[in-house]
Amino acid sequence: MATADDCIFCKIAAGELPATIIDEDERTLAFMDIAPATPGHALVIPRRHSRDLLEIGAEDLQACVLAAQRLARRMHERLDADGVNLINSCGARAWQTVFHFHVHVIPRYADDPLKLPWSPTPGDPEAIAELGDELRA
Ligand code: AMP
Ligand code: ZN
């Protein structure tokens, strides 16, 4: 299995660092985040090292998203979560701090304190359309 030197998530996948593992399959591993944003916050990683969303292969990405869905369902059923946020940070500018691809699976509760630093306000329709032109396949 591909690993990166000094990657803490590779070490968790290899069993060299402890983690509270809650789900695994051929391609993925899920474990509890040590600094939870809300109670039950978990991370899904591919076993194979990929730096981020730009680098990860399609099959590993698909497996991670399906694992995240399994956990989201469990959070609803077993933790009585009212909702779930899936978050992926790609690049330091986007808050990525561990450079092994991971999906945050964050259960949400009516009274939880989590605030993401983003409050949607209406955008400029022309700017939105122009950026849509830039991004269209
Ligand atoms: P990010 O900032 O999106 O790269 O997220 C990295 C996440 O990994 C943070 O939420 C950390 O709390 C979490 N984390 C870092 N080290 C560990 C570890 N050894 N076990 C579990 N979670 C970790
Ligand atoms: Zn790694």
Side-chain angles (χ1 to χ4, degrees):
M1 193 60 71
T3 60
D5 290 345
D6 294 328
C7 171
I8 54 172
F9 288 178
C10 281
K11 288 189 167 54
I12 287 174
E16 293 166 8
L17 272 183
T20 303
I21 292 171
I22 55 171
D23 192 279
E24 52 189 312
D25 63 22
E26 202 179 304
R27 287 185 174 272
T28 72
L29 194 65
F31 52 91
M32 302 304 285
D33 196 298
I34 45 162
T38 67
H41 180 176
L43 302 171
V44 178
I45 65 167
R47 290 181 185 277
R48 176 182 297 272
H49 182 87
S50 293
R51 180 182 164 83
D52 59 24
L53 179 65
L54 302 181
E55 194 179 282
I56 189 170
E59 287 178 325
D60 276 351
L61 179 60
Q62 182 177 353
C64 285
V65 172
L66 291 174
Q69 185 190 45
R70 282 200 294 279
L71 292 183
R73 286 181 171 150
R74 250 179 256 161
M75 287 166 180
H76 271 274
E77 289 164 14
R78 301 187 194 173
L79 303 184
D80 212 18
D82 300 308
V84 174
N85 281 114
L86 295 189
I87 297 179
N88 169 253
S89 300
C90 177
R93 181 64 74 192
W95 314 323
Q96 187 174 6
T97 60
V98 176
F99 291 88
H100 178 129
F101 178 88
H102 51 280
V103 180
H104 294 262
V105 188
I106 305 177
R108 304 304 307 271
Y109 309 95
D111 55 354
D112 77 47
L114 179 59
K115 298 263 181 298
L116 298 176
W118 173 26
S119 43
T121 50
D124 170 12
E126 272 183 33
I128 292 169
E130 277 173 24
L131 288 165
D133 289 343
E134 291 283 335
L135 286 173
R136 195 164 297 113

